[in-house]
Amino acid sequence: MGPRSGLAAVSAALLAMNRTLQVRDVLQTIVASARELLDARYAALGIPDGNGGFAQFFVAGVSDRQWKAIGPLPRQHGILAAMLHDGNPVRLADVRLDPRFEGWPSAHPEMSDFLGMPIADGVEILGALFLANKRCPPGRRKPGACAFTAEDEELLSLLAEHAAIALTNARLYERSRELTIADERARLAHELHDAVSQKLFSLRLTAQAAAALVERDPARARNELRQVTALAAEAADELRAAVIELRPAALDEDGLVATLRAQIQVLDRAHPARVTFDCRDLRALPAAHEEALLRVSQEALHNALRHAAPRHVEVTLFRRGLDAVLRVTDDGSGFDPSAVRTAGRHLGLVSMRDRAAAVSGNLIVESAPGKGTVIEMEVPVG
């Protein structure tokens, strides 16, 4: 492999690794990129669990049926142990002849030439890449005629360095997302707690009133007890909502529309204001766009419900030309958007504008004291 083709192949592999920020997708891309880059028949990537085994093991070149037949994830022994504990690359003409080789399961494919490379972030070994059976060009198919070269080792070392960066970034992204989800769940929990507490307080007062009326006004007591029954049913509904809605945010699985609709249903139950949602002719959007639209809608809803005392808050998603538009409208107390220094920071307008700008979008805020507020975010979708 010449320098030009090698550089082009590495560039393609690095671009592939950085197209996603989901850890599992990054790991699968790394192992597939390594196999393609070095033209190997088999490739694997192991992530240690810290207890003598692998937490995850990704393969390329082995079918799902073969992988299931091989059995449990490998332990950290033999060549694998050398990779994960010594932190040094291993290049062998025939892995089966190495004294550290300890065999493999009966369903495991036969392997000979081997190249292993740790993926390290400073002193911490994040995982290890394993490649086996370098493909031979036509006319050189005799056993031992092809093997991994020093140039292959150098290319895999470069790939491993960037793989460490991609993996670290993906893990940081997922951790950041988990913290965001935790914050959102805590906010929803607080609002649901308030709603349930209000219902239980009303239930208690109504039950006390019924008890006081039992002897002197049985008819009114019966009416109060019917109210107790209704309030108890509402409180039970709120508790069920708490169980259902406080699951982790489902943006990745359910998409923006379903996630936003579920959260607005919670807010509608938890607040005196009527909170409604409408979506018109909007298909799935890129993940970054959906994330930005969701966070801006949450910030706008929080502002309206906590600070503006509205009777009605309406959230709408729709398509306008080549753009997707989010509009959050409330009939609350409003504010003066020109007072950017105070209102902008207090109401999160700066962060909302930053989120819009990050996806090449635009944020418009229309409000006036006593006139309610309209927040509109527009993002291009092609």
Side-chain angles (χ1 to χ4, degrees), residues 112-171:
S112 54
D113 43 308
F114 174 91
L115 178 59
M117 184 68 61
I119 297 176
D121 179 14
V123 296
E124 181 187 1
I125 297 178
L126 305 177
L129 279 165
F130 315 106
L131 301 178
N133 294 20
K134 176 85 171 180
R135 294 180 187 274
C136 288
R140 295 180 58 196
R141 299 190 181 278
K142 294 182 181 180
C146 297
F148 295 106
T149 65
E151 183 184 17
D152 289 332
E153 184 176 326
E154 184 178 352
L155 282 174
L156 191 60
S157 176
L158 178 61
L159 182 73
E161 289 178 10
H162 286 272
I165 297 171
L167 180 54
T168 299
N169 287 342
R171 286 176 170 173

Side-chain angles (χ1 to χ4, degrees), residues 314-339:
E314 182 181 17
V315 180
T316 310
L317 278 173
F318 59 96
R319 183 133 186 174
R320 184 164 61 202
L322 298 178
D323 297 330
V325 181
L326 165 76
R327 181 182 293 150
V328 182
T329 305
D330 74 73
D331 58 1
S333 58
F335 65 99
D336 180 4
S338 64

